[in-house]
Amino acid sequence: MLLEFGGLPGTGKSTLARLLAADTKAVWLRIDEIEGALRRNGLTPDQTGLAAYSVAHDVAANHLRRGLTVIADAVNPVAEARNGWRDLAATVDADHVVIETVCPDSTEHRRRVETRVSDLPGWVYPSWAQVHRMITEYQPRTGDHLVLDTTRPVDVSYQELTTHLTPEN
């Protein structure tokens, strides 16, 4: 199964993906982590975006073919990025579940963006001004997907997520 997390920076994607990966022992692929590694090895920020998605797709495909669950944690702001995950799941015949995190309270969203500390070596998260610019470029999602309003406590969002992922009996 491929679990595709998407949403603007600071909306809780990585928080929920981290919890889910720990509970399920799924492979957690963070685009930020891959981009950080690429930058530490000489690529510029302009070069890392597409390259990070490409690397993540290749790594995810290998794990999915082995029957493992993969959590893809990325902004996925445009249809092309989202289609890449959809096409990957189809290619390896994996189930594909899409989760979008949103923080509709702009004051809370800004607070999160401005106060978070990176847990990745050398990685600098985008500023509020950069995230605010992304809002205008972030294409609305279509199709079947779970939208998690992360202004609620983490445990509430996580419960909604795990309930959504539990097969109906």
Side-chain angles (χ1 to χ4, degrees):
M1 176 182 298
L2 173 62
L3 302 171
E4 174 196 337
F5 278 78
L8 290 167
T11 59
K13 292 180 306 298
S14 296
T15 298
L16 293 169
R18 176 185 295 112
L19 289 169
L20 188 61
D23 285 349
T24 63
K25 307 300 183 224
V27 176
W28 177 27
L29 296 177
R30 293 172 72 184
I31 293 296
D32 291 351
E33 189 170 16
I34 295 168
E35 277 196 76
L38 293 171
R39 289 179 191 178
R40 286 191 311 276
N41 285 282
L43 273 70
T44 67
D46 290 339
Q47 297 171 314
T48 59
L50 184 58
Y53 277 84
S54 180
V55 168
H57 287 173
D58 287 354
V59 173
N62 182 45
H63 290 301
L64 290 166
R65 283 187 192 102
R66 293 177 33 231
L68 300 175
T69 295
V70 172
I71 298 171
D73 172 359
V75 173
N76 296 314
V78 295
E80 293 81 6
R82 300 165 187 169
N83 293 344
W85 295 115
R86 182 202 62 212
D87 295 346
L88 169 64
T91 298
V92 298
D93 196 29
D95 290 334
H96 180 212
V97 178
V98 178
I99 301 106
E100 181 177 27
T101 56
V102 297
C103 183
D105 179 336
S106 62
T107 302
E108 172 61 12
H109 190 189
R110 182 176 186 158
R111 184 196 66 76
R112 290 179 188 179
V113 168
E114 291 179 340
T115 61
R116 68 189 196 167
V117 178
S118 179
D119 62 336
L120 300 171
W123 181 253
V124 177
Y125 286 116
S127 67
W128 176 247
Q130 291 169 314
V131 171
H132 195 69
R133 278 193 299 276
M134 286 182 202
I135 291 170
T136 61
E137 299 166 2
Y138 191 90
Q139 296 174 355
R141 280 202 175 256
T142 59
D144 186 31
H145 67 287
L146 172 66
V147 178
L148 291 174
D149 177 347
T150 62
T151 56
R152 302 169 302 167
V154 172
D155 60 328
V156 173
S157 293
Y158 188 70
Q159 179 62 46
E160 184 179 348
L161 171 61
T162 57
T163 298
H164 180 76
L165 296 175
T166 302
E168 296 179 29
N169 296 322

